[in-house]
Amino acid sequence: EIEAVDDLWVAFDRLSELGDATYTEAIRDALGDASRCVIPTNYGNLMQIGFSGVVTTNIDRLAGRAFSAVHGGKDVVEFGARDCGAMTHILRSQRPFILNAHGVLEDRSSWVFRRRDLKWLFKDEGYLNFIRTCLCSRTIVFVGMSLDDIASQSQLDRLRDAGVDMGSHFWVTDRSDGRTDGWAEKTHVSLIRYSPAGEHAELGEMLRDLRAY
């Protein structure tokens, strides 16, 4: 029944109702191989492009592993959503960072999957200020984002509705529907489209071209 639920936030709510142990172990069992699996090629391609930081909604720590693999163990500052307030100063430094916005697999208390977790996140001023600062002071390139992910789109929508001009950001996507176009235009996000064929080969080609430029 849970697998049939379209809203993933509701699905995780339902999963947690089965009991904390079941909820925790089901997620860890599904993602347990992440620490040992081969790092996807496009993660490596992304990490070779100069950036000041990465915000990931995945809890598998593949972003951190990819950064270390590409940069030979070079230090990167990693933290979760609950630490954003204390880590905001990192935006003034030259050190790259990785924000694990939905937590990390090993730390159950850091997970943000359920409606109650999302509600807490949207009330945390440290997190909200960090994300708003990034949106207003950096050029953001979204990769893998979905319009159905309320955690991704809500901050853009809120700033737009408040009349804040963030400048243009970019969204690399294989979506080409009218709803996507309409939202992107209203939010001043420029679409960069590619075909997902061949295990997202076009995306890899684009990232390699950017790196070589």
Side-chain angles (χ1 to χ4, degrees), residues 16-180:
S16 70
E17 290 169 2
L18 297 178
D20 194 62
T22 297
Y23 174 72
T24 302
E25 293 309 315
I27 292 173
R28 285 182 173 159
D29 183 60
L31 297 173
D33 290 336
S35 62
R36 302 182 298 274
C37 72
V38 175
I39 300 170
T41 301
N42 280 333
Y43 266 89
N45 289 329
L46 278 167
M47 295 302 156
Q48 293 184 62
I49 298 172
F51 59 80
S52 59
V54 172
V55 179
T56 177
T57 55
N58 297 331
I59 70 169
D60 49 27
R61 290 209 64 248
L62 282 173
R65 287 183 59 206
F67 185 93
S68 295
V70 167
H71 295 284
K74 180 181 175 181
D75 186 34
V76 60
V77 181
E78 280 199 72
F79 53 95
R82 297 177 189 273
D83 303 314
C84 280
M87 299 303 298
T88 300
H89 66 88
I90 202 72
L91 296 175
R92 299 178 61 185
S93 76
Q94 299 299 313
R95 297 178 66 189
F97 69 84
I98 296 176
L99 165 56
N100 296 289
H102 283 218
V104 293
L105 182 63
E106 294 80 8
D107 182 0
R108 163 68 178 77
S109 67
S110 69
W111 295 353
V112 179
F113 288 133
R114 301 167 298 179
R115 287 279 176 185
R116 73 184 79 166
D117 303 325
L118 187 64
K119 195 174 187 180
W120 167 85
L121 196 64
F122 285 172
K123 286 183 177 179
D124 186 272
E125 286 300 320
Y127 170 80
L128 294 176
N129 287 330
F130 188 94
I131 296 299
R132 289 167 185 161
T133 301
C134 287
L135 290 169
C136 294
S137 65
R138 303 288 198 275
T139 298
I140 310 296
V141 180
F142 297 97
V143 182
M145 173 185 168
S146 167
L147 283 184
D148 304 317
D149 185 352
I150 189 173
S152 298
Q153 66 163 300
S154 61
Q155 298 309 312
L156 285 165
D157 287 339
R158 288 182 183 185
L159 289 170
R160 179 201 66 201
D161 293 343
V164 175
D165 185 352
M166 299 170 285
S168 291
H169 298 302
F170 300 90
W171 180 14
V172 182
T173 180
D174 61 346
R175 294 180 60 159
S176 58
D177 55 279
R179 179 167 169 256
T180 297

